[in-house]
Amino acid sequence: MVNIRDVAKKAQVSPGTVSRILNNDSSLSVNEKTRKRVYQVCEELQYIPRKYKNRNQQNSIGIISAISREEEMDDLYYRQIREKVIQSAKEMDYRVDFMIHLPNLENSWERVKEVNCVIVMGYIHQEIHQQIYQLNSHMIIVDDYYCSPEYSSVSVDFHKEMLGMLDHVYAMGHQRIAFIGGKNQRLTLNKKHVADGLGDREQAYSEWIADHKMENYHRAFIGEQWYAQTGYDLTDKLLSEKKELPTVIIAASDMLALGVLRRLNEENIQVPKNISICSFDDLEMAAFLTPSLTTQKIDIDTMVSWIMKLCQNMMNEENNVPTRIVISGKLVERESLQEVNKMEIL
């Protein structure tokens, strides 16, 4: 069995450093390269920290994620879901048997059979859903609204949430509305990203613009990733077009919005005085940005609560009917969004 010393040896750090990194010790002074290397080694060795294990051998869960520990450094949304699932499992006295990033799944099929419940996070190829389900029918898919209805799932209808946000900014007088998002892609076992049509927020944006006969101001910018750097680069592309600026930019995630804010600040374009911004997720940082970020709150605590309820039901019942849970968002209005008549439009 892999222990913390095995991780430390391969990562070329001390066991104490590994422990403090995994426990998010804020007093630890270590560079990001070392931190990422420790997470990567943990994933490669499939190391589960002692605090996530317990003595209950009958109630166990496994986590399969499309997002690696390294990628989580730039994707706080999935990191929060994973951490809260593990914490809830610990509180319910469930053993976390494994946490596997998708490309490492090929060597771990036998372990999928052994747990009482498998939690699959993120967008992965639907054939992989079938493979997992054939090995273990106690499967819960997280954050994939378009997965097959034959599986239990907990997700958000971002198409509906996006339409609601568009209606809200339109009621505030915004008609020059731009959208910044990431590509809708599914991950395969060999690390390839396969395009899966328009993203739900992108599709909602295009439909809404058409319904309101505003095609002359259809400005959607879609990047390969969903990180802050992507938001920065796409905002740079928007500005380079030298066209009339939008009055509001809707970013598909808070992380994208972070990059948007940075690029606008470099051009001395003031938010919300000259341009408004809103986004999705309501990560903790959103309230502490300058200006604070208006965002559609996706309640991760509620999401995780439903995940664990489904887990519990699967463990206690022999016959499980697939259950589909759809979480609704709630707009949290902060400083970054302003009515048009209160702005100084450039």
Side-chain angles (χ1 to χ4, degrees):
M1 181 175 292
V2 177
N3 59 43
I4 198 168
R5 294 185 181 279
D6 298 321
V7 175
K9 182 177 179 179
K10 187 166 184 178
Q12 298 180 333
V13 296
S14 70
T17 298
V18 173
S19 177
R20 293 174 70 184
I21 288 174
L22 296 181
N23 283 285
N24 299 313
D25 187 341
S26 60
S27 67
L28 177 64
S29 178
V30 63
N31 61 49
E32 286 304 307
K33 185 177 180 180
T34 299
R35 192 181 298 272
K36 288 182 179 181
R37 186 168 70 248
V38 168
Y39 283 138
Q40 185 175 358
V41 171
C42 285
E43 185 172 329
E44 289 174 358
L45 299 181
Q46 296 182 18
Y47 171 69
I48 307 294
R50 185 185 301 275
K51 67 176 182 176
Y52 296 150
K53 300 178 181 178
N54 60 53
R55 297 177 180 175
N56 190 342
Q57 298 297 316
Q58 294 185 337
N59 293 326
S60 61
I61 67 171
I63 301 172
I64 299 171
S65 178
I67 310 298
S68 69
R69 283 292 190 91
E70 184 176 3
E71 290 171 321
E72 279 185 358
M73 302 298 292
D74 297 311
D75 197 326
L76 300 180
Y77 176 71
Y78 278 108
R79 176 179 171 181
Q80 286 189 17
I81 295 175
R82 177 185 60 78
E83 289 179 344
K84 288 177 181 291
V85 165
I86 291 172
Q87 182 60 35
S88 293
K90 178 184 176 183
E91 293 170 357
M92 296 173 72
D93 202 29
Y94 293 164
R95 176 169 55 87
V96 180
D97 189 74
F98 60 78
M99 293 182 291
I100 301 173
H101 176 48
L102 186 61
N104 296 323
L105 182 58
E106 279 194 305
N107 300 320
S108 305
W109 290 116
E110 288 301 315
R111 300 187 70 181
V112 172
K113 296 179 183 178
E114 296 170 357
V115 294
N116 298 98
C117 183
V118 182
I119 299 170
V120 183
M121 292 172 44
Y123 259 43
I124 68 174
H125 204 279
Q126 292 174 340
E127 289 182 359
I128 304 173
H129 287 161
Q130 296 173 6
Q131 290 176 274
I132 297 170
Y133 187 76
Q134 287 171 2
L135 295 174
N136 193 329
S137 61
H138 289 178
M139 179 179 72
I140 301 169
I141 298 175
V142 179
D143 201 43
D144 185 350
Y145 181 78
Y146 298 101
C147 71
S148 170
E150 67 180 302
Y151 312 130
S152 290
S153 64
V154 181
S155 61
V156 179
D157 183 353
F158 281 108
H159 185 279
K160 175 185 174 184
E161 301 296 330
M162 180 66 175
L163 292 176
M165 181 172 285
L166 285 160
D167 287 340
H168 183 79
V169 299
Y170 185 70
M172 297 177 74
H174 292 279
Q175 296 189 31
R176 286 154 39 192
I177 305 169
F179 173 68
I180 284 179
K183 279 191 176 180
N184 191 42
Q185 304 178 102
R186 291 188 179 274
L187 186 64
T188 66
L189 283 175
N190 58 3
K191 297 186 180 181
K192 289 185 178 179
H193 287 88
V194 180
D196 192 40
L198 292 180
D200 36 18
R201 278 154 283 198
E202 180 185 359
Q203 184 173 354
Y205 172 79
S206 296
E207 292 174 358
W208 189 93
I209 290 290
D211 288 344
H212 288 74
K213 304 187 185 306
M214 295 164 60
E215 292 92 336
N216 290 339
Y217 205 85
H218 183 286
R219 301 186 74 186
F221 300 84
I222 310 300
E224 291 291 332
Q225 304 293 339
W226 289 72
Y227 307 142
Q229 184 63 50
T230 308
Y232 180 96
D233 294 339
L234 294 176
T235 306
D236 184 68
K237 183 177 180 180
L238 182 155
L239 296 175
S240 69
E241 291 185 343
K242 305 298 182 182
K243 294 181 180 179
E244 188 176 35
L245 285 178
T247 59
V248 64
I249 296 174
I250 298 179
S253 72
D254 290 348
M255 293 304 296
L256 287 167
L258 186 62
V260 175
L261 281 166
R262 173 69 181 272
R263 186 66 188 95
L264 292 176
N265 183 62
E266 290 177 351
E267 295 296 324
N268 294 317
I269 299 173
Q270 298 181 51
V271 178
K273 182 178 180 180
N274 306 135
I275 190 169
S276 286
I277 298 177
C278 50
S279 61
F280 290 81
D281 293 340
D282 193 32
L283 299 176
E284 184 178 358
M285 67 172 187
F288 297 96
L289 295 174
T290 304
S292 56
L293 186 61
T294 293
T295 179
Q296 191 80 350
K297 179 180 180 63
I298 307 303
D299 195 326
I300 292 176
D301 288 332
T302 299
M303 181 180 289
V304 171
S305 176
W306 277 110
I307 293 169
M308 300 315 295
K309 284 178 183 176
L310 291 180
C311 258
Q312 190 173 41
N313 289 342
M314 288 177 175
M315 292 177 184
N316 294 337
E317 300 175 12
E318 291 185 5
N319 297 316
N320 290 283
V321 176
T323 304
R324 180 180 176 88
I325 305 296
V326 180
I327 307 296
S328 295
K330 178 182 179 181
L331 188 66
V332 179
E333 294 198 60
R334 299 192 180 99
E335 298 166 343
S336 69
L337 180 63
Q338 185 64 269
E339 293 179 9
V340 169
N341 60 13
K342 297 180 180 179
M343 297 168 58
E344 295 182 14
I345 307 300
L346 297 178

